[in-house]
């Protein structure tokens, strides 16, 4: 048999916990344990014992756990609620642990007996047990076999059943070691002995003890350790239930050789909760709303606090309370709170947003089921905003409003209706909605709401005629977007009267009817009276006259009398005019009154023109082609008449009788009312272009006829009936306009060519003029005069023309001595070498030779712009010409008159000044 001795720990709320005294009574658990281990269908719910005998230690402290009661629920998993007959002295936790609520000395005063009641919350079934407390002197209450009160708690390995086949025997499955309860946050000293592990085999041989599991050799390691020789299990540091609520260890016993001598036993160490955590609200600031006028009992919001302590004990059981309310009017207790759930509800009536829009509550949460003496507390703030309801109707600031509007104006604001509303602005309970309930049977006004100012804008939505209504008196009712609260009655000031005056304005005259339709036959002569098109002035109370004028008359056929509006014709009405569409001719007229300012209106006159037979038919198309032989085809022609039926088709087609050559060669056959066929009568007709007159007569009353000329090209055809003489066809197809255009193009081209030739001639002359330094008009030198065959001297008959062509080839300037150069020769300087002119053959005529030389000189880029070297042949002696020596034969001392040089031109005036008779 296993003996279990447990030493109870002491606990004190919010105070240091002293070490457990050695005289602590053992909890009577064996009978409860035996009851809990019963197996079978006869399990009955209830306390494990009817009477508990408990030895109370000396000097019981406040909050110290004293004993534990065990309730058996037959594995139903239903929680029961414990109650104590002496609630002022003891407190029973949900796990059955009984704590002292105050300090007392059992030797002097001991509240006994104590009745513990358990009640099923579901079925309301109740059970009771009695606890008898014994003072410390009563040692006989200890269990048999337990160690002395001053000794430590001892756990002995369970005995094994004899088994001849093995050294170890199986332990009973129903053997349970009671858990060890260790209070959290113990102050020591540490290490603190918890229990002693012992085996019966230690009497015969030496053993070694060890523990394994979390807290020993597994994380968190080092919390628990055991003396391997004595088996004393100790804790090395304070425990925190909020971190680890319990530990599961296994104790082992081995000999010195390491052989297991006992089966491991499980040890459960429960960390007993202490009230070491204050409640913490989920939010420090809570916001809620409640409609104004709410009845008592209306839920507002729920606040929640959390306590890290064990919720199964009173350490984690919270209670809520309202500490203060701001403001306190109209009632200091407008709200209450459910102390268990934290639900805030209204407690009194009279919530009025217009008076108190917001309340601030200070909420307190306290553990230990709200016991203020030893419970821990914390506070939070709850702000409750009173929301608006429509409990105030809109009220007009005045009973009467006034406005005025010009007639015929729409979308004009006539008056602004102002209201006041005590509800919260810009909410459906404040936004005003206006409705006209009287004075506007035709719906000419509306009252929309200005979203910014909440004013009613009386607006004209339909034109108003001053001549019909001069004033309006409207009845307007103001309401809100949401209905008024049913407990509130509508105010008298929610209805107002609006007086509106209509202002007369000069309105435009109007034609009636507009447009005006008349039917007339075309062809009416000028100055024919068509109709009277007049307008009316809507201003009946104004004495005004109307003048008429023509605004739009596309064909210029009509005129209107400015005074009386009579419409007459200015030209013949023609239905076939391009200004007539679908037999309808439209004209627009203007009517203007003499008001201030003048007003005008327009009217349209629509004239439907009836057709008369005033157009003769004509042939279409006007050109065609046919083969020389009548086979295989003819020419289909169509008659066209601008008139309408019956003044148009069917048409009659004939060839004129007065032209026998036409009737001899051609014949015409009517195919339908509008189509006829022209074909050759003879077997062959020579190719060419023929103009065939065709007489077409319409079917009108007093029919009209017309002779149309069809231009027919007779040509040679292939076997398909197509003309093969395309060149003639194209020539025949050219009209007069095409021929004139071609001729104009030819003339323009010729003019351009002539202008180009003249420009080239002029350019050649300018180029030749640039070769001379002296203007031909100012040149006073002797010009070359061509005479008839004068000839040279007697010895000047045979001459070499090659010397005139290229004199430089005979005597280059580069080798001519300086002393023999003439003064009028071109100065010597290096010049670029150009190709030498080719020597042309000797022409037969000297004139041709000179012209060839002149052309070569003009085209020579090396020709200088000054007088070049003149080379003359020697005439020889015996010439019939006189001697030139007379030039130097004048007397050297004789005076000569050189004034005649002034008459030779500007180039000789310098010589005249130098050699003139002036001595200077």
């Amino acid at each position: 048999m296993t003996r279990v001795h447990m030493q109870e720990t002491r606990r004190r709320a919010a105070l240091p916990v002293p070490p457990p005294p050695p005289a602590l009574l053992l909890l009577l658990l064996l009978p409860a344990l035996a009851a809990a281990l019963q197996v079978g269908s006869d399990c009955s719910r209830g306390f494990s014992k009817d009477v508990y005998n408990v030895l109370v230690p000396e000097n019981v402290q406040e909050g110290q756990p004293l004993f534990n009661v065990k309730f058996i629920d037959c594995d139903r998993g239903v929680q029961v609620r414990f109650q104590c007959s002496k609630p002022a002295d003891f407190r029973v936790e949900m796990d059955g642990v009984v704590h002292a609520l105050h300090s007392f000395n059992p030797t002097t005063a001991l509240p006994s007996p104590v009745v513990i009641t358990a009640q099923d919350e579901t079925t309301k079934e109740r059970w009771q047990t009695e606890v008898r407390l014994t003072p410390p002197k009563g040692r006989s209450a200890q269990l048999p076999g337990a160690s002395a009160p001053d000794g430590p708690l001892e756990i002995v390995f369970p005995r094994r059943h004899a088994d001849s086949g093995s050294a170890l025997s199986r332990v009973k499955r129903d053997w349970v070691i009671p858990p060890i309860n260790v209070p959290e946050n113990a102050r020591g000293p540490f290490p603190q002995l918890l229990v002693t592990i012992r085996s019966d085999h230690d009497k015969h041989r030496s053993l070694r003890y060890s523990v394994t599991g979390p807290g020993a050799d597994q994380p968190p390691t080092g919390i628990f350790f055991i003396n391997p020789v004595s088996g004393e299990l100790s804790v090395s540091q304070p425990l925190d239930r909020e971190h680890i609520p319990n530990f599961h260890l296994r104790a082992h016993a081995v000999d010195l050789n390491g052989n297991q001598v006992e089966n491991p036993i499980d040890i459960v160490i429960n960390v007993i909760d202490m009230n070491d955590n204050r409640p913490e609200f989920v939010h420090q600031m809570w916001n809620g709303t409640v409609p104004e006028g709410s009845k008592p009992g209306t839920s507002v919001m729920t606040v929640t606090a959390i306590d890290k302590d064990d919720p199964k004990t009173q350490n984690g059981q919270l209670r809520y309370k309202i500490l203060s309310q701001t403001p306190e009017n109209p009632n200091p207790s407008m709200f209450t709170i459910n102390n268990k759930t934290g639900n805030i509800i209204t407690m009194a009536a009279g919530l009025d947003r217009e008076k108190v829009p917001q309340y601030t509550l200070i909420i307190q949460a306290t553990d230990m089921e709200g016991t203020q003496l030893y419970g821990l507390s914390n506070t939070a703030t709850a702000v409750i905003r009173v929301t608006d309801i429509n409990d105030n109707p809109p009220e007009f600031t005045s009973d009467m409003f006034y406005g005025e509007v010009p007639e015929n104006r729409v979308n004009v604001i006539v008056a602004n209706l102002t209201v006041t509303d005590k509800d919260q602005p810009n909410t459906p309970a404040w936004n005003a909605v206006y409705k006209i309930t009287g004075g506007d049977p035709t719906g000419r006004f509306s009252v929309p709401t200005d979203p910014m100012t909440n004013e009613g804008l009386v607006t004209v939505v339909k034109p108003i005629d001053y001549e019909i209504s001069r004033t309006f008196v409207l009845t307007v009712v103001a309401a809100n977007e949401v209905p008024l609260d049913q407990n509130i009655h509508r105010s008298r000031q929610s209805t107002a009267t609006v007086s509106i005056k209509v202002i007369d304005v000069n309105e435009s005259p109007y034609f009636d009817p507009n447009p005006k339709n008349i039917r007339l036959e075309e062809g009416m002569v000028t100055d024919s009276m068509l109709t009277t098109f007049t307008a009316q002035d809507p201003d009946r109370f104004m004495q005004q006259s109307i003048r008429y004028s023509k605004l739009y008359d596309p064909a210029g056929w009509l005129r209107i009398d400015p005074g009386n509006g009579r419409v007459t014709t200015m030209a013949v009405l023609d239905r076939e005019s391009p200004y007539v569409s679908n037999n309808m001719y439209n004209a627009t007229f203007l009517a203007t009154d003499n008001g201030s300012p003048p007003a005008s209106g327009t009217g349209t006159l629509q004239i439907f023109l009836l057709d008369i037979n005033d157009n003769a038919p004509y042939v279409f198309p006007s050109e065609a082609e046919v083969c020389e032989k009548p086979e295989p085809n003819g020419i289909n022609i169509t008659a066209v008449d601008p008139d309408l039926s019956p003044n148009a088709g069917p048409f009659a087609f004939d060839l004129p009788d007065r032209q026998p050559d036409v009737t001899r060669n051609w014949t015409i056959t009517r195919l339908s009312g509008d189509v006829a066929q022209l074909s050759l009568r003879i077997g062959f007709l020579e190719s060419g272009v023929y103009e065939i007159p065709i007489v077409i007569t319409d079917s009108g009353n007093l029919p009209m006829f017309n002779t149309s000329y069809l231009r027919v090209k007779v040509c040679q055809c292939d076997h398909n009936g197509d003309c093969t003489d395309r060149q003639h066809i194209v020539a025949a197809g050219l009209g007069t306009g095409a021929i004139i255009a071609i001729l104009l193009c030819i003339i323009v081209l010729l003019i351009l060519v002539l202008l180009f030739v003249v420009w080239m001639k002029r350019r050649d002359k300018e180029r030749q003029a640039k070769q001379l330094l002296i203007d031909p008009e100012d040149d006073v030198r002797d010009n070359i005069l061509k005479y008839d065959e004068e000839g040279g001297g007697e010895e000047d008959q045979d001459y070499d023309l090659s010397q005139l062509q290229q004199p430089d080839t005979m005597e280059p300037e580069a080798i001519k001595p300086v002393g023999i150069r003439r003064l009028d020769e071109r100065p010597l300087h290096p010049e670029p070498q150009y190709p030498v002119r080719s020597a042309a053959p000797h022409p037969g005529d000297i004139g041709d030779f000179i012209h060839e030389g002149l052309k070569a000189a003009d085209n020579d880029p090396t020709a200088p712009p000054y007088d070049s070297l003149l080379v003359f042949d020697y005439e020889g002696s015996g010439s019939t010409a006189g001697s030139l020596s007379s030039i130097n034969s004048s007397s050297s001392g004789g005076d000569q008159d050189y004034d005649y040089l002034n008459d030779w031109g500007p180039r000789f005036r310098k010589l005249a000044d130098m050699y003139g008779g002036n001595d200077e």
Side-chain angles (χ1 to χ4, degrees):
M1 179 179 179
T2 300
R3 294 176 298 170
V4 179
H5 301 281
M6 300 186 63
Q7 183 178 8
E8 289 289 338
T9 60
R10 297 185 299 172
R11 177 179 176 184
R12 182 172 182 178
L15 292 176
V17 179
L24 182 64
L25 293 180
L26 294 178
L27 180 64
L28 302 180
L29 293 178
L30 291 180
L33 182 60
L37 295 176
Q38 291 180 358
V39 180
S41 59
D42 59 346
C43 176
S44 60
R45 300 176 64 193
F47 287 100
S48 60
K49 282 182 67 67
D50 294 335
V51 177
Y52 286 90
N53 294 311
V54 178
L55 182 62
V56 181
E58 296 180 358
N59 299 322
V60 177
Q61 302 295 327
E62 179 182 356
Q64 178 179 342
L66 298 179
F67 57 92
N68 186 12
V69 292
K70 180 67 175 178
F71 185 83
I72 300 174
D73 63 351
C74 298
D75 295 331
R76 296 185 181 181
V78 179
Q79 293 289 343
V80 293
R81 183 177 181 83
F82 296 103
Q83 295 179 355
C84 180
S85 61
K86 298 182 181 296
D89 299 328
F90 302 98
R91 171 169 55 87
V92 185
E93 301 290 353
M94 296 184 65
D95 56 357
V97 178
V98 180
H99 296 263
L101 293 181
H102 58 83
S103 301
F104 63 90
N105 189 351
T107 60
T108 59
L110 185 63
S112 180
V114 179
V115 178
I116 306 298
T117 303
Q119 181 177 0
D120 191 336
E121 296 290 343
T122 303
T123 63
K124 304 302 181 180
E125 190 175 359
R126 296 169 63 90
W127 298 266
Q128 288 184 349
T129 185
E130 181 178 325
V131 180
R132 297 176 181 178
L133 303 178
T134 304
K137 294 179 181 182
R139 301 295 184 184
S140 60
Q142 286 187 323
L143 290 175
S147 60
D150 296 337
L153 178 64
E154 185 179 82
I155 298 178
V156 180
F157 282 89
R159 296 181 181 272
R160 297 169 300 185
H161 295 280
D163 189 354
S164 61
S166 62
L168 300 177
S169 60
R170 189 172 180 179
V171 180
K172 293 182 179 180
R173 287 185 176 272
D174 56 355
W175 187 267
V176 178
I177 303 300
I180 301 173
N181 296 328
V182 179
E184 66 172 336
N185 302 325
R187 294 189 176 185
F190 294 101
Q192 179 179 346
L193 178 63
L194 298 180
V195 70
T196 299
I197 309 298
R198 189 176 62 84
S199 174
D200 292 340
H201 295 280
D202 62 355
K203 298 178 181 180
H204 307 288
R205 50 181 169 173
S206 297
L207 302 179
R208 295 294 183 266
Y209 300 96
S210 64
V211 290
T212 59
D217 61 342
Q218 298 179 16
T221 61
I223 298 178
F224 301 98
F225 64 92
I226 189 171
N227 189 317
V229 177
S230 64
E232 294 179 348
L233 179 64
S234 303
V235 60
S236 63
Q237 61 188 27
L239 303 180
D240 187 1
R241 190 205 64 84
E242 287 72 35
H243 184 212
I244 301 177
N246 51 63
F247 297 88
H248 294 267
L249 303 178
R250 302 198 75 183
H252 307 271
V254 297
D255 58 14
L256 296 180
N257 295 325
N259 298 320
Q260 181 176 334
V261 297
E262 297 282 359
N263 289 329
I265 60 173
D266 293 329
I267 300 176
V268 177
I269 301 176
N270 290 331
V271 182
I272 303 302
D273 183 42
M274 295 184 63
N275 192 16
D276 58 342
N277 291 278
R278 289 183 178 274
E280 296 290 341
F281 281 92
V282 177
H283 304 289
Q284 195 60 33
M285 180 69 69
W286 297 82
N287 294 296
T289 59
V290 60
E292 63 175 332
S294 297
K295 297 180 179 180
T298 303
S299 177
V300 179
M301 61 179 175
T302 299
V303 297
T304 304
I306 299 176
D307 196 324
K308 296 181 181 179
D309 292 326
D310 190 358
K312 296 181 180 179
T313 66
Q314 290 184 341
N315 298 334
Q317 295 179 0
L318 307 182
R319 296 295 182 264
Y320 299 94
K321 179 181 180 182
I322 297 177
L323 297 182
S324 65
Q325 169 190 312
T326 305
E328 296 183 352
N329 57 322
N331 192 319
S333 300
M334 292 296 297
F335 302 93
T336 186
I337 187 170
N338 188 312
N339 63 345
K340 294 182 179 181
T341 63
N343 183 28
I344 300 176
I345 60 177
T346 59
M347 187 175 180
L351 290 175
D352 190 351
R353 188 203 64 85
E354 288 74 30
K355 296 180 179 179
V356 181
Q358 179 176 292
Y359 290 91
T360 302
L361 305 180
I362 303 300
I363 309 299
Q364 183 186 58
T366 306
D367 56 14
M368 302 299 292
E369 294 185 337
T371 303
Q372 298 294 328
L373 183 61
Y374 50 86
L376 302 179
S377 302
N378 213 335
T379 60
T381 303
V383 178
I384 301 176
R385 183 172 55 89
V386 182
T387 59
D388 187 38
I389 65 171
N390 192 13
D391 57 345
N392 292 280
E395 298 179 356
F396 285 100
T397 58
S398 177
D399 293 337
M400 179 67 71
F401 294 89
Y402 300 91
E404 60 182 21
V405 58
E407 64 173 332
N408 300 322
R409 296 282 301 276
V410 294
N411 298 325
V412 178
I413 298 177
V414 178
N416 292 13
L417 310 182
T418 57
V419 296
T420 59
D421 197 321
K422 297 179 181 179
D423 292 322
Q424 185 176 359
N426 301 316
T427 61
W430 179 82
N431 297 333
V433 178
Y434 300 89
K435 181 179 180 181
I436 299 175
T437 59
D440 186 23
T442 58
R444 300 186 180 275
F445 298 91
S446 68
V447 188
T449 304
D450 188 338
M452 300 301 295
T453 63
N454 208 29
E455 295 180 351
L457 308 178
V458 182
T459 307
V460 181
V461 295
K462 293 182 180 180
I464 302 174
D465 191 354
Y466 173 83
E467 284 70 28
I468 298 177
S469 300
R470 299 186 183 185
T471 59
F472 289 88
V473 179
L474 308 180
T475 301
V476 180
V477 175
N480 293 120
E481 292 182 357
V482 295
L484 193 65
D485 189 85
Q486 58 183 358
N487 297 324
I488 307 299
H489 300 285
R490 182 178 300 277
S491 173
R492 181 184 59 84
Q493 295 182 352
S494 296
T495 303
T497 302
V498 184
S499 178
I500 300 174
K501 178 182 178 182
V502 182
I503 302 175
D504 190 17
V505 296
N506 187 20
E507 302 177 73
S508 301
Y510 63 93
F511 289 87
D512 189 22
N514 188 20
K516 183 177 182 179
N517 297 303
I518 60 175
R519 298 171 63 91
L520 299 172
E521 286 189 352
E522 64 173 332
M524 294 189 66
V525 297
T526 306
D527 295 332
S528 298
M529 197 278 185
L530 301 182
T531 185
T532 300
F533 196 28
T534 58
Q536 301 179 10
D537 193 346
D539 298 314
R540 299 193 303 269
F541 302 102
M542 297 182 182
Q543 300 298 326
Q544 298 179 151
S545 60
I546 299 178
R547 303 287 292 177
Y548 302 95
S549 60
K550 185 171 62 175
L551 186 62
Y552 176 72
D553 183 15
W557 291 343
L558 308 176
R559 73 162 60 93
I560 188 169
D561 188 281
N564 54 28
R566 293 182 179 179
V567 181
T568 57
T569 61
M570 298 174 57
V572 178
L573 305 182
D574 185 7
R575 192 198 64 83
E576 290 75 29
S577 171
Y579 300 105
V580 177
S581 176
N582 296 327
N583 302 329
M584 190 74 68
Y585 180 76
N586 296 323
T588 304
F589 299 95
L590 182 69
T592 306
D593 60 19
N594 60 347
S596 179
S600 59
T602 60
T604 300
L605 180 64
Q606 294 182 341
I607 304 176
F608 187 86
L609 296 177
L610 304 175
D611 184 43
I612 64 174
N613 194 13
D614 58 343
N615 292 278
Y618 59 90
V619 68
F620 180 82
S622 60
E623 297 180 357
E625 62 181 25
V626 71
C627 298
E628 294 175 333
K629 296 181 180 180
E631 296 295 338
N633 55 6
I635 302 173
N636 291 336
I637 59 176
T638 303
V640 178
D641 193 335
D643 293 327
L644 300 176
S645 181
N647 297 323
F651 300 97
F653 300 88
D654 295 304
L655 297 177
D657 297 335
R658 298 181 181 180
Q659 298 183 10
D661 55 340
V662 174
T663 58
R664 182 175 62 252
N665 297 334
W666 302 90
T667 180
I668 190 169
T669 304
R670 177 179 170 183
L671 300 180
S672 64
D674 298 336
V675 182
Q677 187 179 67
L678 179 68
S679 58
L680 286 173
R681 181 187 295 272
I682 60 179
F684 176 82
L685 183 63
E686 185 179 358
S687 299
V689 179
Y690 300 87
E691 291 188 353
I692 310 302
I694 299 175
V695 180
I696 304 176
T697 305
D698 60 22
S699 300
N701 190 6
L702 298 176
M704 296 188 67
F705 65 91
N706 182 30
T707 301
S708 299
Y709 287 87
L710 179 64
R711 196 165 184 265
V712 180
K713 169 64 179 179
V714 180
C715 60
Q716 298 178 0
C717 296
D718 55 12
H719 63 280
N720 294 324
D722 298 327
C723 285
T724 58
D725 192 3
R726 291 297 177 188
Q727 182 176 3
H728 292 86
I729 293 175
V730 173
L734 292 177
T736 303
I739 295 175
I740 294 176
I742 293 174
L743 292 178
L744 289 176
C745 291
I746 294 174
I747 294 173
V748 171
L749 183 61
L750 292 177
I751 292 174
L752 291 176
V753 172
L754 181 60
L755 292 176
F756 180 78
V757 172
V758 172
W759 178 75
M760 291 297 295
K761 290 288 186 180
R762 184 174 180 182
R763 183 178 180 185
D764 290 341
K765 290 182 180 180
E766 291 177 356
R767 184 183 301 162
Q768 295 176 6
K770 292 179 180 179
Q771 302 294 332
L772 301 178
L773 294 175
I774 304 174
D775 192 347
E777 297 178 359
D778 298 336
D779 192 4
V780 296
R781 295 178 297 175
D782 292 340
N783 297 325
I784 298 177
L785 301 179
K786 183 179 180 181
Y787 298 92
D788 291 339
E789 299 296 331
E790 180 180 355
E794 290 80 7
E795 298 179 0
D796 197 15
Q797 300 299 325
D798 297 327
Y799 47 84
D800 188 5
L801 295 178
S802 63
Q803 299 297 324
L804 296 177
Q805 291 176 348
Q806 292 182 349
D808 294 339
T809 61
M810 301 301 298
E811 184 179 342
E813 295 179 358
I815 62 175
K816 186 182 293 186
V818 181
I820 64 175
R821 289 179 62 87
R822 291 172 48 180
L823 298 177
D824 59 347
E825 287 185 357
R826 182 173 55 185
L828 290 175
H829 56 82
E831 293 181 355
Q833 298 297 324
Y834 292 92
V836 181
R837 302 175 188 172
S838 62
H842 295 171
D845 188 9
I846 189 64
D848 296 334
F849 173 77
I850 293 174
H851 285 296
E852 292 294 333
L854 178 61
K855 183 182 296 184
D858 291 338
N859 296 327
D860 187 2
T862 64
Y866 42 79
D867 293 342
S868 60
L869 174 65
L870 302 179
V871 181
F872 299 91
D873 278 359
Y874 177 69
E875 288 186 353
S877 61
S879 176
T880 58
S883 177
L884 297 178
S885 60
S886 60
I887 297 177
N888 297 326
S889 63
S890 59
S891 58
S892 59
D895 296 331
Q896 296 185 17
D897 186 6
Y898 295 97
D899 293 337
Y900 65 90
L901 294 176
N902 293 321
D903 299 332
W904 287 12
R907 297 181 180 273
F908 292 91
R909 290 175 185 174
K910 185 65 176 176
L911 293 176
D913 294 338
M914 295 175 61
Y915 297 98
N918 190 356
D919 295 340
E920 299 179 358

